[in-house]
Amino acid sequence: MHRPLAALAVAALVAVSGCSDPRPQQPPRLAPPVQPPAQPPAPVTTTVTPTPTGATLSPTPSTPPLTREQAAKRYLAIVRPYNQTLERLERAINSGEPLPTLKTLAAQVAEANTTRIRQFQETPWPADVRAPVQELVAQARSAMGPLHQAATAKTREELVSLVLRAGRHDGARQAAEIRKRLKLSQYDEEVP
């Protein structure tokens, strides 16, 4: 009878020794949270400009600037709709059109101006044209408030006053400089 008792004692000893670990218990390790993959940055080219002290890296847009000929065509394509819409408004004012017609035309001029600003900003201009284009955009932005107000004017006199205020920001000096740099003739209201 000793034998079954000895077998039972060995089994109990094995069970107890399997449950006891001389090392201290540590909490189970959790896997780190899965991070979503990072979005790659937009492609940017880098220009290396030699300087007396070494190279300077400067990011540039991925789209190369337009040639002078391409820029001239693009400039004309951008300004033509705005100029034509503005001319219609001026003719309507001068011919005595009713206020509702003038308000509609003022709203169209504001919309054409917004489009013109966006297109100026999206175009990769040649380096020597960028500054006057930025100045022209600033003038066009300054005209936006009075143009929007003209579209909601209560009287013809108010509308005319607001259109004249917007006209103070016509960007004529900047436009003349851009045309000169792009070798374009000066703007003529009579030529569409």
Side-chain angles (χ1 to χ4, degrees), residues 29-38:
R29 293 186 188 181
L30 299 176
V34 177
Q35 298 291 328

Side-chain angles (χ1 to χ4, degrees), residues 69-144:
E69 183 179 305
Q70 291 169 328
K73 288 179 183 176
R74 179 72 177 141
Y75 176 80
L76 293 175
I78 291 171
V79 298
R80 185 172 291 119
Y82 171 79
N83 289 342
Q84 290 172 340
T85 306
L86 182 60
E87 291 298 325
R88 281 195 299 274
L89 174 60
E90 289 176 0
R91 282 194 302 272
I93 289 171
N94 293 335
S95 67
E97 293 289 331
L99 181 61
T101 301
L102 299 179
K103 289 168 61 170
T104 298
L105 289 170
Q108 290 172 359
V109 171
E111 184 179 327
N113 193 39
T114 299
T115 299
R116 167 177 86 136
I117 290 168
R118 180 181 43 77
Q119 290 174 337
F120 277 141
Q121 293 174 319
E122 293 173 350
T123 302
W125 299 103
D128 68 326
V129 180
R130 289 181 197 143
V133 167
Q134 288 174 351
E135 292 171 15
L136 183 56
V137 166
Q139 289 296 313
R141 282 190 176 137
S142 295
M144 287 305 291

Side-chain angles (χ1 to χ4, degrees), residues 18 27 35 64 100 106-107 156 179 188:
Q35 298 291 328
R156 179 183 176 78
R179 286 177 171 272
D188 182 359

